[in-house]
Amino acid sequence: MVEIAYYTVTGQTRRFIKKTELDAYEIDDADPYHDMDQPFILIVPAYDDNMMDSVIDFLNFGSNKENLVGVIGTGNRTSISYTSTRQKTLPTA
């Protein structure tokens, strides 16, 4: 089974994950360095990439970039339609 990692700014993504009752790892700003060690899906807010330093640190740690199989952007319709037209390449360590 594919694992889940997520990042939340406002707590909305955390509330969503809890409603699903699925096990998931929350990326923490204080310590984003966690190696998933297996394939996973990343769930992130889609509305502001300026707040994603912890997510970039998480992805650059261990084998996370290699194990990432998908990304889900969360947010309201306005922000999702805006960000879905943008593409960003992950920086390499």
Side-chain angles (χ1 to χ4, degrees):
M1 180 168 178
V2 175
E3 296 292 315
I4 298 171
Y6 71 95
Y7 181 72
T8 186
V9 175
T10 63
Q12 292 287 18
T13 305
R14 183 183 307 112
R15 285 189 280 282
F16 168 75
I17 293 293
K18 286 184 180 185
K19 286 181 181 182
T20 67
E21 298 182 358
L22 295 171
D23 288 331
Y25 173 76
E26 181 175 348
I27 300 167
D28 182 8
D29 285 327
D31 184 18
Y33 307 103
H34 174 80
D35 195 352
M36 293 298 285
D37 276 334
Q38 56 192 322
F40 71 97
I41 294 171
L42 178 62
I43 302 175
V44 293
Y47 48 83
D48 193 350
D49 61 354
N50 293 325
M51 303 165 116
M52 297 296 171
D53 290 343
S54 294
V55 174
I56 299 300
D57 291 342
F58 169 80
L59 288 171
N60 283 322
F61 187 76
S63 61
N64 289 341
K65 265 196 289 194
E66 293 79 20
N67 285 322
L68 178 64
V69 296
V71 177
I72 298 172
T74 61
N76 65 37
R77 280 192 237 168
T78 304
S79 62
I80 290 175
S81 63
Y82 168 72
T83 58
S84 66
T85 61
R86 299 168 45 199
Q87 185 178 26
K88 191 170 194 175
T89 304
L90 294 175
T92 56

